[in-house]
Amino acid sequence: MSLITILILALSILNLAKVNSQRINKPGLLPGFNGLDAALKAHLPKTSHDKVDLWSPGWILEDCKTLTEENGFSPHDIETFSVRYVDCPSPWILCRHKNSPDPLWHTVELFGRIPVRARAHIKGMLLLPNNSTDAAYNADNTIVLFNQQRLGHHDWSSLTVIMHEVGHSLDAAAYPDSQLSISEKWLAAVDEDSMVPDAYAATNVFEDVAQNTVIAAYDLNVPGGLESVKGVDWHGIRRQYELVRKEQAEAVTKNLLVPGGKCVYRVPNSQAVRINTEGEGRRRRRTRGVRLLQGKPNTDLAEGLKVIVPGKFSTKGMCPRPDGA
């Protein structure tokens, strides 16, 4: 390949990235997703878990350590849990800062409502406190949540927020037209529609796909679908959410956003790593229903599970939780 060809390709990639990070110049259909959360939660069933293990002091998931330090917190203040749901032989790893306002069991229950074929594209979650914002982002298939139990509102981690972050992972690696957000099909759908789901979806095509993931999940799971929402004309975003519906139905594991089945594929975890606990004198709180693991935790996927090759991305800085979300 000649140097000129390489330069042309590099410039094309840079130009594509610039175009797709630009705002979408279309109005939002909804003021936010608060009105969708309760019905979505009511019709995405809980998934039972049969084992929750607390990692012993001195061990943390490598991804959680990295993300915790990147956000200015100490990994020594993180408790790490392995949560195994009954629809998958391998647990998901949940890391929680001791000062996070998000309760452990609420987060376990809420994450379990994500249909397993979509949940399989997520490594786990990291819950962090933050006094200045309540936000979320997806870093290489780990969902990072800040302060989702909003002071005075008590609305803990929103299912629509978690589904939105799952949508980024599906966009990156799950669909037949991956990455969907920069595909010609998606750009054509946005061009043909007159609106986007809400003002936040207009941030760029990546956030638009993630917001339409929530819309598509609602349409697929709530009786009557979107038409059950009174006073909203969905025609303005129909091509976008119908394309997400089509892509999730035609994915390798089929019907990603619909409950049922067992996990067949999983995104691999990072490794458990040691942190120095000498002289700290820390003792883990004993939480009812949680077993304390001894020794180095095993983060390998269960035998027989197929590996999802994960996309490399981060939506940090793009996913503040908008008003009404």
Side-chain angles (χ1 to χ4, degrees):
M1 184 181 293
S2 69
L3 178 60
I4 293 176
T5 302
I6 293 172
L7 289 172
I8 291 172
L9 286 172
L11 289 171
S12 297
I13 292 170
L14 288 171
N15 186 56
L16 183 66
K18 179 180 179 182
V19 168
N20 290 300
S21 64
Q22 292 176 348
R23 289 192 61 82
I24 300 171
N25 188 25
K26 299 202 174 186
L29 175 64
L30 301 173
F33 284 5
N34 269 345
L36 305 181
D37 199 76
L40 189 61
K41 190 181 298 182
H43 296 286
L44 282 177
K46 296 180 183 179
T47 302
S48 299
H49 54 271
D50 59 7
K51 188 166 68 169
V52 179
D53 294 332
L54 172 63
W55 292 17
S56 58
W59 292 104
I60 188 172
L61 193 70
E62 186 176 23
D63 285 347
C64 287
K65 179 177 183 294
T66 299
L67 292 167
T68 297
E69 291 173 337
E70 283 180 359
N71 284 287
F73 295 98
S74 170
H76 294 285
D77 292 326
I78 299 294
E79 291 184 324
T80 306
F81 300 86
S82 297
V83 182
R84 190 175 71 184
Y85 296 95
V86 296
D87 54 14
C88 192
S90 280
W92 277 265
I93 312 301
L94 192 156
C95 304
R96 181 180 180 273
H97 191 280
K98 66 178 185 179
N99 294 329
S100 169
D102 289 302
L104 169 67
W105 293 118
H106 180 269
T107 304
V108 169
E109 179 255 300
L110 206 60
F111 186 55
R113 291 183 185 272
I114 301 297
V116 66
R117 290 180 289 263
R119 200 184 333 128
H121 287 262
I122 300 297
K123 292 180 181 179
M125 300 176 69
L126 171 62
L127 310 180
L128 295 173
N130 191 311
N131 294 328
S132 62
T133 183
D134 64 343
Y137 69 95
N138 187 324
D140 296 336
N141 306 290
T142 295
I143 297 174
V144 183
L145 291 177
F146 295 92
N147 227 35
Q148 293 295 304
Q149 185 184 1
R150 302 166 96 181
L151 185 63
H153 291 79
H154 308 293
D155 66 341
W156 297 339
S157 304
S158 163
L159 184 57
T160 55
V161 170
I162 294 176
M163 184 66 78
H164 170 101
E165 298 306 332
V166 171
H168 284 301
S169 290
L170 301 183
D171 175 32
Y175 297 136
D177 291 287
S178 293
Q179 185 170 352
L180 180 60
S181 55
I182 59 175
S183 69
E184 291 185 4
K185 286 185 179 180
W186 187 259
L187 299 179
V190 173
D191 187 55
E192 292 171 16
D193 278 342
S194 60
M195 309 181 83
V196 292
D198 63 354
Y200 185 58
T203 304
N204 54 48
V205 290
F206 311 111
E207 301 305 329
D208 189 34
V209 166
Q211 288 293 72
N212 273 286
T213 303
V214 180
I215 297 292
Y218 190 100
D219 196 39
L220 286 163
N221 292 288
V222 177
L226 294 173
E227 299 306 321
S228 67
V229 182
K230 298 185 183 302
V232 179
D233 180 0
W234 298 96
H235 186 267
I237 63 169
R238 189 173 303 278
R239 290 172 181 83
Q240 294 164 75
Y241 74 76
E242 285 187 346
L243 181 54
V244 173
R245 283 190 52 144
K246 181 175 183 293
E247 293 279 330
Q248 67 85 38
E250 296 176 355
V252 172
T253 51
K254 310 294 184 187
N255 299 313
L256 298 172
L257 299 175
V258 178
K262 300 283 186 180
C263 72
V264 177
Y265 293 81
R266 280 285 299 273
V267 174
N269 297 308
S270 60
Q271 294 297 306
V273 295
R274 279 293 245 167
I275 53 176
N276 181 21
T277 59
E278 185 178 352
E280 290 187 359
R282 292 180 182 272
R283 295 182 63 186
R284 293 293 192 189
R285 296 168 294 172
R286 296 305 300 269
T287 304
R288 182 177 297 179
V290 173
R291 183 184 70 166
L292 181 64
L293 281 180
Q294 300 296 331
K296 181 178 181 179
N298 180 12
T299 62
D300 294 340
L301 295 181
E303 186 177 353
L305 286 179
K306 299 176 182 179
V307 173
I308 296 171
V309 179
K312 296 287 291 181
F313 64 92
S314 175
T315 64
K316 187 176 183 180
M318 290 200 300
C319 287
R321 184 176 180 184
D323 291 338

